[in-house]
Every structure is written in C-alpha cells, then in structure tokens.
Amino acid sequence: MNPKKPVKGPKEAVITIRDLKISFGDLHVLRGVDLDLYQGENLVVLGRSGTGKSVLIKIIAGLLEPDQGSVTVLGEDVRQLNKRELDALRLKLGFSFQNSALYDSMTVRENLEFPLIRNVRNLSRADIDKAVEEALADVGLSQTINQMPSELSGGQRKRIGIARTLILKPEIMLYDEPTAGLDPITSNEINHLINEVQERHNTSSIIITHDLTCAKTVGDRIAMLLDGRFERQGTFDEVFEDSNDERAKQFYEYNFVN
Amino acid sequence: MQASSTSSSTETTEKPVISRRLDRIFLALSDVASFVAQFFKEVFMPPYEWKEIVRQCYEVGVRSLPLISLTGFITGIVFTNQSRPSLATFGATSWLPSLISIALVRALAPLVTALIASGRVGSNIGAELGSMRVTEQIEAMEVSGTNPFKFLVVSRVIATTFMIPTLAMFFVFLGVLGSYVNVAQNEKTSFMSFIETFFSSITFLDINSTVIKSIIFGFTIGIVGCYKGYNSSKGTEGVGKAANASVVTSMFLVFIEELLFLQVINAIRAA
C-alpha cells in the first residue's frame, strides 16, 4: 500500500493553533501545541491512547475550553466567540465521533434530518428528503433510511455518522478514531470514504487515529503527538520510514511488524 | 468547562477533610442551583421544541397510564376495605366516601403518583440522558448547532411538570371508582349518593393544593432525573448510578416537599 500523495497548490490555513495547553487536574495533556490545517488537505493526528488527540479536536469544536493558547478556525478565534457565533461556526465543522454518536431513539432518516431542520430555515419536506437521500447515497447506505441505529453494524454506524455531518455541507471535517473497533475490510472502506469526502466536497480534515494503515491511506500530512506536543510533522515517509526517532519507530513497528 | 471544573476539585485535595466535604456539598448545591437557573432561562427563550415536548408528554403521561390506573383502582379498593372495620366500630360506615375523598385527594393521589413516577419516569430520564452523555450524543447535538439543554432537559421537565398533576387527577378518578366498587358491594350505596358524599368533604383548597403539590413533585422528578443523567460520567457504570440516584433523590425530595407543603396548607387552613 502506497502512502497518499500530498495535496499540491496554494495553501491557506483553515485552522491555526498556537501554544495550546490544557490540563485535567495534575495531568498536563497538551503542553503547547502548534498546528496548521491547510485548505483541502487531510491531516492525520497520530498518538498513543490518552495523549490528548480527541481533546484537541474537542477544543477546535469549542466543546472544551483550553487553559492557554489560541485556536483560529476559518479566521475566527474560537475562544472569543459567544454562544451564537460558536453555533454558527460549528455548522461549518463536521464532527464524526468515535462511537458515531447516533441518536438511539431516532431512525437513520430522523438522525440525518435533525441538524438540517434545526439549522436551515424554510426547507420543504421534499428538500429535506432529497438532502437525506443524497447524504445517504454519498456513504452508500440508502437502504438503511428507516432503520434504527441499534439495527446497524459498527461500520454502517460510522458511515451514517459521517453522512449526518455531511448533510450540512461542512468546510472542515473532524474525524475522531474513524476506524476504531472495525475489522480491516470495514476500516479500509471507511478510509476510502474519508478520501471520497475530501475529493467530492473539497473539505479539509483532521483525522485522529492510532491506526497507521488509516494514516497512510488518508493522510496528506501526518502530525505525531508526543508528550503533549507535535514533535514530528510531515508526510508518512518523513515521519516514519525516513525517521530515526525511536518513539516513531516503535509506533510503526507495533502497527506493521507485530 | 471540564478542564476548569477538574482543576477546582483538585485544589480542594490539600484542604482538611471536613472542609473538603463542605466544599463538595456547596459546590454540588451551586451546580444544582445553576442547572435549575439555566432551566428557567431556557424555558422562556425561543426556539421552543414543541414536537419534543409533545413526545415527552406522551412518554411520561400516556405510557404511565396503565400503571397509574391499576395502582389507583387497587388503592381505592384496599383503602376502603381496610378503613371499614374501624368506622364500623362506631357505626359510621356511611362516612367511608368522605374518608376516602380526603385521603385520596389530599395525600394518596399526589404522593403515590409522584412515587410511581419517580421510579418509572425519573429512572428512565436519568438512564436515557446518562447513556446519551457517555455515548457522546449530547456533544453531537452541541456541535450540530442544537442546544441540547433545551432539547433534552427543558422538554422533559415541562412534560413531568404538566403530566404528573394530570396523572394524579387520574389516580383520584380511578381510586374513587375502586372505592365505589367496594362500597357498592358491601353497603349497597348508589353511585350518585357516593359521589355526593365524596365531594361534600373536600374543598377547592384541597383540589388546588393537590394540583400545585403535584406540579412541584413533577418539576422535582424531571429536574432531578435530568440533572443526574445530563451530568453523568464514568461510562456505563455512570448510567446505572444516574438512574439509581434519580429515583432515590427524587423520592427523598418528594417526601420532604410533602412535609413542607403540609405545614403550609395547615397554616392556610388555620388562618
């Protein structure tokens, strides 16, 4: 499997993070993170469990308040926004949760309609149905429209979760462990779906994972979170195959050798 | 948010034990107070989640009807049957409808309905919101531009606040019916005569106080269930704890409120 080729062309940062710090009690999770996400790229954030990868994207989405640092998303400083402004910004972000976070009491159709009805005014029933059908077709699961989340497999749930975020046509996608808990074949399908979303919707994405196959397949650029900072950034080859860093090598060997 | 609240709890670890416990109690009380304050802030602010409110009213009200009906009917029969020997000693079995009306309207209906609702509705709300919290469904709502507090908490508290008084009135109705079945079998009283005696013993104050008391009970059950579920943590264990704490806390508060309300009503009657 060859690593994905980086996106070429002019680069404009859609997310800029500077000196980001957050602690939970005595546990210093992020210790001065600097990161840029450029227009149209898939940035994979790698790191061991508990290193603060998910915390990072929750800060970007305004779900967690950092102790220090700045987070600029699409030109807006997330920490300075009031509730209404933050809600407006969130509509430009698609957040795919680790466990899909589908609403258990709603059907697939209602799950997809939920953000649409609440955020887009003056939509007719036909418009809503069309948007739902398109989003489901995007992830290849049109037949599940009337099913409950409990009737879906893990991979299907992930896809529906992604479809629910796509329905609002976000500019930036945030994927939290998109392949966690999935078999290799389903993981591969999700990886290809992430690439398709990038190509079809021209989104910029941050993908949180500790799965190197996922990183290699979807990542235009890899950022490795070590001890609360991004110490290694670059293409997959730069971070792993041409690297002498012991921690990166260890991560690589556990994924591909063991 | 999470980070800052955790830091405040760690600051307390260096303090003496009593101070730490007091701190925890006051922090919890302030947390509850701000949750209740947020409810009153959100409840009057548009947009209003009418569809969800109606759905929750159905869940709380209609789905509780079979249990409330059965309990009310049986309570009417049992209470009438158990009270008869005492009244018969004084040859006062004709007073049974009066006794039943006072017992049902003033105490049994609101209290038993609230206790049943604490078990059925309170635990359901605690478990449902707790499960939504640990599976990140609440965060998913937040990032999709929906106010989860308004959608989940406000709608449920409104539903319990309006449905529990309705269920209490239904309990009275079924209790009266159960009581009449028992009285009709033993005393051969006509239905009209039973109803006349029943209503002659209660006043508007009794009915109003029952409705107001049930509204307070309903609000308590809703807000406690939502608070426990909405703030649950620690995975699936947290969901179980949220459901359990919702029942225990709301039952405890219902009894305390019943006692306090009794004092207020007695004071009004004495005035």
Side-chain angles (χ1 to χ4, degrees), chain A residues 1-9 11 39-43 195 198-199 214-222 234-238:
Chain A
M1 178 184 43
N2 295 320
K4 199 182 169 200
K5 287 184 181 159
V7 174
K8 297 268 192 282
K11 288 181 173 180
Q39 171 64 46
E41 78 167 343
N42 275 353
L43 170 68
N195 284 334
Q198 182 198 21
E199 285 161 20
C214 169
K216 204 169 183 176
T217 313
V218 305
D220 298 310
R221 196 157 56 93
I222 313 288
T235 61
F236 189 86
D237 288 348
E238 285 165 358

Side-chain angles (χ1 to χ4, degrees), chain A residues 112 130-140 159 163-164 166-167:
Chain A
L112 268 67
K130 189 169 171 247
V132 169
E133 281 156 21
E134 275 175 13
L136 280 177
D138 259 358
V139 298
R159 282 167 174 268
R164 189 177 60 186
L166 288 178
I167 205 157

Side-chain angles (χ1 to χ4, degrees), chain A residues 58 102-104 118-119, chain B residues 49 136-137 139 144 146 151:
Chain A
K58 285 186 178 176
L102 298 181
Y103 309 128
D104 290 332
R118 273 166 179 75
N119 295 297
Chain B
E49 300 284 355
E136 297 178 312
Q137 291 175 52
E139 285 176 322
S144 67
T146 299
F151 186 79

Side-chain angles (χ1 to χ4, degrees), chain B residues 117-132:
Chain B
S118 297
R120 206 198 83 81
V121 179
S123 64
N124 191 26
I125 292 175
E128 192 181 9
L129 295 196
S131 148
M132 289 185 81

Side-chain angles (χ1 to χ4, degrees), chain A residues 32-46:
Chain A
V33 162
D34 294 314
L35 187 74
D36 291 300
L37 173 72
Y38 296 104
Q39 171 64 46
E41 78 167 343
N42 275 353
L43 170 68
V44 171
V45 173
L46 277 173

